[in-house]
Amino acid sequence: MAKFKGVSPRGNSIQISFTWNDHRYRETLRWEPTPKNLKMANSLRQSVIYDIDRGVFDHVEYLKKFPSSSKAKSLVKSQADFLTIDVALWDWLKNKRSYIERSTLRDYTSAIKHHLSPRFGLLTVNQLKAKDVKEWLAKLSISNKRKNNVITPLRQCFKELYLDEVIEQNIMDRVPNLSVSSREPQPFTQDEIDLILITLSAQCTDNYRPLIEFAFYTGLRTSELIALHWSDIDFQNARMEVKRARVRGVTKEPKTSSGRRFVDLVPEAINALESQSMHKMLNIDEVFYKLEKSAVFKDDQYIRKAIWTPALKAAGIAYRSPYQTRHTYASQLLSKGANPLYVANQMGHADWGMIRKVYGKWISNL
């Protein structure tokens, strides 16, 4: 029978021994000491040694490798008495880095750096109380939606600490998300649409009418609009494929399978594309870009500040966000009797539940 260092039979079990932080640890595996099981025990021990050498072996990893170990459980419980929330949050974010979108990583980093660590960072994970979080949220002078976003890293971090048995209870389960009132859609009337487009047409140079007209008659999100390529357009079948979006300068695929979709092009949208084709450039794949700089849009900021807001002001129309072009598209289709499921597919929703909830009053047969 082969012998392995730190692995030895003990009656009907196998004992593994290793040194960590200058302490000797022994763990008993309830495995029959067969040659195959001894080899498996050695592989387990080698993985422990490897993690120790890399400096990544800790109380949580100890428990993961030896889930029945009373020693590991006692170490994990004691860890909660000295693990600070600051360390826990940054460790959690480090582990999540490769699994989340760059824009999400940026938001989480900001929430931890500017809100969570300054307020709770010095507390240990055992010291935080639900009451502390609720009182802090009540004093924050930001919207409820923003508050919910800010505590998301804390909520997810504590959930993992609980699942890893670092803490005995998850106090964040007693901190409900704050209610967020949904804003009523404020679609533009046809007269308002026409006035906005006429105002944009009156610009002597850098005419952005095609961009705004296309937004009104396709319902694309701005992130999808600025990432649209000419190769995505099928003029022959009067449709386009939405298969990417750009957020904060990063181009990515839609978050959901329903987000990647084909959208039918009505005559007004075709007209906008034909007008935009006059600005088509060989070195730019995007349909819409910054005309004066011959550069792609990184996000919606330039459109909102330099194009949209001045156009509404010049037209004498009360300000509404560019997202209302999407609401306008949906409400117009539904008012004309379009099938709600068809509208949902056009807009990238998995089903028509959202359409019913948001645009119910524009659906004639509800």
Side-chain angles (χ1 to χ4, degrees), residues 114-172:
H114 299 294
H115 292 282
L116 299 174
S117 278
R119 176 59 185 86
F120 304 114
L122 296 180
L123 296 176
T124 67
V125 294
N126 261 353
Q127 290 177 320
L128 186 65
K129 306 298 180 185
K131 179 174 177 288
D132 300 331
V133 181
K134 292 177 183 177
E135 290 179 349
W136 173 69
L137 286 173
K139 295 177 183 177
L140 278 183
S141 56
I142 55 178
S143 68
N144 281 3
K145 181 178 180 181
R146 176 67 179 140
K147 291 177 182 180
N148 291 338
N149 291 339
V150 163
I151 63 170
T152 294
L154 188 65
R155 191 180 299 283
Q156 293 192 15
C157 175
F158 267 68
K159 180 180 179 180
E160 293 201 7
L161 290 173
Y162 176 71
L163 293 175
D164 289 337
E165 298 185 43
V166 176
I167 53 179
E168 294 184 353
Q169 59 179 339
N170 181 4
I171 62 98
M172 292 304 296

Side-chain angles (χ1 to χ4, degrees), residues 244-284:
R244 70 185 73 81
R246 183 173 299 128
V247 180
R248 294 174 179 170
V250 179
T251 302
K252 56 186 181 181
E253 294 184 356
K255 290 183 178 180
T256 63
S257 57
S258 57
R260 180 162 184 161
R261 64 198 187 277
F262 287 98
V263 176
D264 294 332
L265 299 174
V266 297
E268 292 88 348
I270 294 289
N271 178 67
L273 288 173
E274 290 175 346
S275 298
Q276 183 65 16
S277 65
M278 298 173 57
H279 303 291
K280 194 173 183 179
M281 298 187 69
L282 293 176
N283 62 331
I284 296 180

